[in-house]
Amino acid sequence: MFSTEIKVLLQFCAGRLCCIFEGGLAKLCTWLGITTLVYYRRIVKSEENGAGETPTTPTPTSVNYHFTRQCNYTCGFCFHTAKTSFVLPIEEAKTGLRMLKDSGMEKINFSGGEPFLYQRGDFLGKLVQFCKQELRLPSVSIVSNGSLITEKWFQKYGEYLDILAVSCDSFQEETNALIGRRQGKKSHLDNLHRVRSWCSEYRVAFKVNSVINTFNVKEDMRDQIRELNPVRWKVFQCLVIDGENAGEDALREAEKFVITDEEFQDFLDRHSEITCLVPESNQKMRDSYLILDEYMRFLDCREGRKDPSKSILDVGVENAIQFSGFDEKMFLKRGGKYVWSKADMRLEW
């Protein structure tokens, strides 16, 4: 049996060698544990930055948990598509959420797919209640297309939810249909306004998310946004992710939705008077979000695809987050941390 000192030395040496001969030393690295590679890569990053010492582990202050990939819409630019139907058992999901809280998580955002699709929103509601009531997180939020939300859900779980974001890319039904943000003949805009009124009634902060693309880049949304009066209007530039909405194995073809940086800036300039507007270019989006997939793996988007870490349930948050590609400085620079608890917003309901 090796002493602790010898094993630590072997871990360090194997980490160096693994980077050079990763394939041949895979078994050794597995025996020594995932922390070998994590430790090595953190050393390399420190040396490249000239820091001279190992950087600290990023804190998962705000986490986006895509617990399901299934959706009832067919948005052509979707970058988290229905490649699986897997959903963690709720007790395992709660275990992972508690681990994230213990590692410093202050805000959880539930997304999909469409998070209200699974078990008609009851699974989501139970997680929302758990995070607010038991974990006592300052902020619990949801991103949804709004089509499956019911007033009954608000009556049961609304008190535990801080922010509800509804995705809406256009205020013209024809454009929404071209994008794929519609189910059958149901009006996406009617759903949007219905959910907006429930948010006011049940004291949930309302937010709008819009993806700017070739079909809506010329649209003027100022009057409609003023009418909805969201606490935040998050405006994203259409993003291409290999394997999700581009490439041979992708379920979507987002290339026809892509706009230039100049077109995106023109849209922002047209809406610059909207005080709640929060713009996010591709550069800001790609590595400033902590994305957790349905297996509770962090997804690294830096190379234009989603490379998963190991699950936090298997290796812990600290090990997994090293492979997330998360840029904590960009997260703060883009305003990722804001007044996100409805108790602190002082809203007039």
Side-chain angles (χ1 to χ4, degrees):
M1 182 67 66
F2 289 101
S3 69
T4 301
E5 292 80 4
I6 293 175
K7 189 166 182 178
V8 169
L9 180 60
L10 285 171
Q11 286 178 331
F12 177 78
C13 294
R16 292 273 178 175
L17 291 170
C18 278
C19 186
I20 302 171
F21 308 104
E22 280 190 355
L25 291 176
K27 291 185 178 180
L28 176 60
C29 290
T30 299
W31 176 72
L32 290 170
I34 191 171
T35 51
T36 304
L37 283 173
V38 169
Y39 183 61
Y40 169 71
R41 291 179 184 181
R42 289 171 68 187
I43 289 175
V44 169
K45 184 176 180 181
S46 177
E47 291 175 348
E48 289 176 348
N49 294 337
E53 58 185 46
T54 303
T56 58
T57 301
T59 302
T61 308
S62 176
V63 177
N64 297 274
Y65 178 26
H66 297 250
F67 68 83
T68 178
R69 284 178 170 266
Q70 298 298 303
C71 189
N72 59 326
Y73 278 17
T74 57
C75 302
F77 48 69
C78 179
F79 50 78
H80 200 74
T81 54
K83 300 171 75 172
T84 76
S85 58
F86 180 80
V87 177
L88 271 175
I90 194 164
E91 292 307 318
E92 291 185 42
K94 288 180 177 180
T95 296
L97 292 168
R98 189 179 294 280
M99 292 168 65
L100 288 162
K101 165 68 186 307
D102 292 342
S103 295
M105 181 174 70
E106 299 175 18
K107 179 180 185 292
I108 183 70
N109 179 55
F110 294 103
S111 188
E114 171 47 48
F116 282 89
L117 185 62
Y118 186 66
Q119 294 183 358
R120 298 183 178 180
D122 196 49
F123 182 90
L124 171 64
K126 289 175 180 176
L127 291 183
V128 166
Q129 183 175 1
F130 171 76
C131 286
K132 180 59 71 170
Q133 195 172 54
E134 295 191 38
L135 298 186
R136 298 188 178 277
L137 290 181
S139 183
V140 180
S141 66
I142 297 170
V143 174
S144 167
N145 63 36
S147 65
L148 301 174
I149 306 175
T150 64
E151 186 173 11
K152 184 177 179 181
W153 191 94
F154 274 99
Q155 292 169 344
K156 189 172 183 179
Y157 300 111
E159 66 179 292
Y160 309 111
L161 184 64
D162 290 276
I163 304 170
L164 175 62
V166 176
S167 299
C168 182
D169 308 311
S170 176
F171 291 94
Q172 301 172 10
E173 292 287 12
E174 300 81 10
T175 304
N176 284 321
L178 287 171
I179 290 171
R181 198 172 286 289
R182 189 171 71 174
Q183 184 181 31
K185 296 182 179 180
K186 296 179 181 179
S187 168
H188 181 70
L189 298 179
D190 285 350
N191 289 331
L192 174 71
H193 286 279
R194 187 180 302 114
V195 172
R196 175 67 181 101
S197 65
W198 286 334
C199 283
S200 295
E201 184 175 354
Y202 294 97
R203 302 197 172 195
V204 175
F206 179 73
K207 177 182 170 187
V208 176
N209 285 358
S210 300
V211 177
I212 309 308
N213 59 85
T214 53
F215 292 97
N216 65 3
V217 68
K218 302 295 184 183
E219 192 171 332
D220 188 337
M221 306 181 186
R222 287 176 290 183
D223 290 343
Q224 292 87 351
I225 292 296
R226 288 193 189 97
E227 180 185 357
L228 288 167
N229 191 28
V231 294
R232 284 164 74 85
W233 179 31
K234 190 73 80 68
V235 175
F236 302 96
Q237 183 180 2
C238 182
L239 179 66
V240 172
I241 297 290
D242 188 53
E244 294 284 355
N245 60 14
E248 293 183 1
D249 299 327
L251 299 181
R252 298 284 186 271
E253 296 180 0
E255 287 87 349
K256 67 179 181 180
F257 293 91
V258 175
I259 59 174
T260 65
D261 293 345
E262 291 74 18
E263 288 176 312
F264 184 61
Q265 188 58 53
D266 286 344
F267 182 91
L268 297 180
D269 292 342
R270 190 181 318 127
H271 296 85
S272 60
E273 64 195 65
I274 303 298
T275 57
C276 64
L277 187 153
V278 181
E280 292 200 2
S281 64
N282 287 345
Q283 181 184 8
K284 289 183 179 179
M285 287 175 59
R286 189 168 281 115
D287 53 6
S288 66
Y289 280 85
L290 271 177
I291 301 175
L292 205 65
D293 74 359
E294 65 274 21
Y295 300 100
M296 285 201 158
R297 304 177 301 186
F298 287 115
L299 299 178
D300 182 352
C301 302
R302 288 175 298 177
E303 301 300 323
R305 58 183 183 268
K306 289 185 173 179
D307 297 321
S309 69
K310 291 187 183 262
S311 173
I312 66 171
L313 296 171
D314 295 329
V315 301
V317 175
E318 182 175 354
N319 280 334
I321 203 171
Q322 302 298 330
F323 298 91
S324 66
F326 180 55
D327 186 337
E328 201 163 10
K329 290 183 178 179
M330 179 60 79
F331 165 74
L332 295 171
K333 184 177 180 180
R334 71 168 172 80
K337 191 166 184 176
Y338 56 95
V339 179
W340 52 31
S341 172
K342 64 182 179 182
D344 299 327
M345 292 180 188
R346 300 178 181 178
L347 298 175
E348 295 182 4
W349 304 105

